[in-house]
Each structure stands twice: as structure tokens, then as C-alpha cells.
Amino acid sequence: MKPTLPTAAELAILRVLWDRGPCTVRDVHEAVYADTDIGYTSSLKIMQNMLAKGLVTRSEDARQHVYAAAVSERPTLNRLVRGWMDSAFAGSSLALAMQALDARPVAPEELAQLKAMIRKLEGKS
């Protein structure tokens, strides 16, 4: 059974786990919610829900519970993007990309990466 797609809050937590590897709830809470009014127990509850949904695993060997991502980054993000493409952009990769580029300014480094990706894709044709 495939895990459900993460919510925005769950995705923020997964990003921490993907970047840092296994973490305690405290570590994740400080990384995601340090400058907010969100409490530690809210982070704990979200992570417990993520465990039930199959998005994370939990090690109970240590005194503190340590959580790790149970889903890989790229397939998870691809599933999210495909869902957005289908629901908001009638399945169009171009419409999604154009909207993303229009939504906020693109840094020169990112523009160079986009151009390299386009050249790579053109080479596959």
C-alpha cells in the first residue's frame, strides 16, 4: 500500500528528515516551528499521525523517540506534482512550469539550471 500524500505541515517535517536524517521530535520542532507559536505537542501529534500514515518510522531504542522518513523524497515530490498537474493544470507540465516561473522571481543560478535541463531534455528527443 502506498503511503498517503503528505499535507503541507507533514511535507515541512519530511524536508527536515530528508535533509538531516533521523531526528527527535524536538529537533524537528526547532527546525520547522522555532519562530512560530506552534507548540512541541503539536509537532509530536503531527509526527504520530505521520507514523500512522506510513510517512515516517520511529525508533524507540533510545530514551527519546527518533523519527526517520519512511518515504523517499523524489517519488513523494513527483506524486505531489503529478497531483497538482492533474487537478490544477489539466495535466499540462508546461502550464505548471509557466505558473511556477511566474509566481516568483527566478535567481540567475536557477535559470541556468533550467536552461541546462531544457538542453538535456532536447537531447533525449
Side-chain angles (χ1 to χ4, degrees):
M1 184 177 105
K2 279 187 182 177
T4 60
L5 288 175
T7 65
E10 292 167 346
L11 187 57
I13 290 169
L14 282 170
R15 288 209 153 286
V16 172
L17 297 175
W18 289 329
D19 290 344
R20 298 183 182 183
C23 294
T24 64
V25 176
R26 175 80 50 214
D27 294 335
V28 170
H29 176 75
E30 289 173 2
V32 177
Y33 299 112
D35 298 327
T36 71
D37 292 334
I38 305 293
Y40 171 88
T41 56
S42 295
S43 297
L44 174 61
K45 185 63 178 171
I46 293 169
M47 293 177 78
Q48 288 171 335
N49 289 341
M50 291 173 72
L51 178 66
K53 291 167 73 173
L55 295 171
V56 297
T57 60
R58 180 176 66 199
S59 169
E60 300 177 21
D61 296 338
R63 184 171 163 237
Q64 295 179 323
H65 291 176
V66 176
Y67 287 81
V71 293
S72 299
E73 181 176 15
R74 188 171 185 150
T76 300
L77 295 178
N78 282 345
R79 287 177 53 224
L80 281 169
V81 169
R82 278 193 302 274
W84 296 331
M85 281 176 34
D86 292 344
S87 64
F89 300 99
S92 172
S93 299
L94 174 62
L96 173 68
M98 296 300 287
Q99 184 65 45
L101 293 170
D102 188 51
R104 64 174 53 142
V106 180
E109 312 82 51
E110 290 179 329
L111 189 55
Q113 290 175 339
L114 283 168
K115 288 177 182 178
M117 176 60 85
I118 290 169
R119 285 191 297 275
K120 180 180 174 186
L121 291 171
E122 287 175 337
K124 289 183 179 180
S125 300

